[in-house]
Amino acid sequence: MSRDIWIISDTHFVHKNILGFKDNEGNLMRPGFDSVDHMNEYMVQQWNSVVKPGDIVYHLGDVVIGPKDQFLPLFKRLNGSKRLVVGNHDDIKFMAKKELFTKIMMWRMFREFGLLLTHVPVHESSLRRGPHGHEHEADYDPTQTINVHGDLHDKPSPPGPYQCVCVEQVNYTPVNIENLRIR
């Protein structure tokens, strides 16, 4: 059975206040939703439109901000085996206790895809080091690594080898790892 790998960040499930957040120009960060329930349902729909039950999904943090009792039924409806790269708003103890993710980590290096998954964009000098912190490690090509990250919501990534997968930038839909990899 073929399993796809998907990546998404900053869903902020059940976060009512995010619907009122605005950018520097005064535009809503998440326009088009008339309620937090509408936002939650749209994210579940978009997720399940691409992710099959046997697939793997890396969530790059900030999964839920709000009532966890409202979040749990939503989360159970999401397809795939979920892995968490921890974000600054994640309640790790809650997620571990509820066994929501098969793995919880601070970052994930995919050498075979040329990707480093993090919640926040890392400094470019970190991309020039091997995964163990040593410059010029054998079998590590620092020019062939993209930092796939979240945290910025609707703001652009820094210049350079970065790709943001915040829901606001990917139509609330997980991105297939094949579409992010170094070619």
Side-chain angles (χ1 to χ4, degrees):
M1 176 175 113
S2 171
R3 292 178 5 152
D4 285 324
I5 299 173
W6 302 91
I7 306 170
I8 195 160
S9 186
D10 293 270
T11 48
H12 286 238
F13 279 106
V14 301
H15 188 188
K16 184 177 181 178
N17 290 344
I18 201 167
L19 296 179
F21 290 3
K22 296 182 179 182
D23 64 17
N24 293 339
E25 287 80 45
N27 300 311
L28 289 173
M29 191 167 69
R30 292 192 179 185
F33 298 115
D34 54 25
S35 69
V36 72
D37 291 333
H38 181 205
M39 176 188 74
N40 292 334
E41 286 301 319
Y42 186 74
M43 289 192 293
V44 169
Q45 173 189 336
Q46 292 300 96
W47 181 299
N48 289 339
S49 74
V50 296
V51 177
K52 297 180 300 295
D55 290 349
I56 295 170
V57 181
Y58 282 85
H59 195 299
L60 305 188
D62 292 1
V63 179
V64 54
I65 299 178
K68 293 179 178 71
D69 60 323
Q70 292 175 24
F71 163 70
L72 288 172
L74 292 166
F75 192 80
K76 290 176 183 173
R77 292 173 46 208
L78 297 172
N79 288 338
S81 172
K82 298 158 211 72
R83 298 172 182 187
L84 176 64
V85 173
V86 176
N88 53 304
H89 293 290
D90 290 320
D91 183 342
I92 302 167
K93 287 182 181 181
F94 165 77
M95 294 189 189
K97 181 180 177 184
K98 293 293 185 180
E99 299 178 340
L100 300 179
F101 293 91
T102 58
K103 294 182 181 178
I104 297 175
M105 61 208 82
M106 294 307 295
W107 55 271
R108 171 66 157 95
M109 173 67 82
F110 274 104
R111 285 186 184 174
E112 66 272 30
F113 293 104
L115 303 175
L116 173 63
L117 309 183
T118 60
H119 177 63
V120 299
V122 299
H123 191 273
E124 194 168 355
S125 66
S126 296
L127 297 174
R128 291 193 296 268
R129 297 185 182 279
H132 298 103
H134 306 291
E135 291 192 38
H136 311 296
E137 278 188 38
D139 300 323
Y140 180 72
D141 184 351
T143 64
Q144 296 296 310
T145 303
I146 295 174
N147 179 200
V148 178
H149 64 86
D151 193 55
L152 301 181
H153 294 276
D154 57 341
K155 294 172 183 60
S157 293
Y162 298 93
Q163 178 66 51
C164 184
V165 291
C166 286
V167 295
E168 296 89 356
Q169 296 194 33
V170 297
N171 193 28
Y172 304 87
T173 308
V175 178
N176 193 291
I177 198 167
E178 293 291 339
N179 294 329
L180 297 166
R181 74 182 302 159
I182 294 284
R183 301 265 182 229

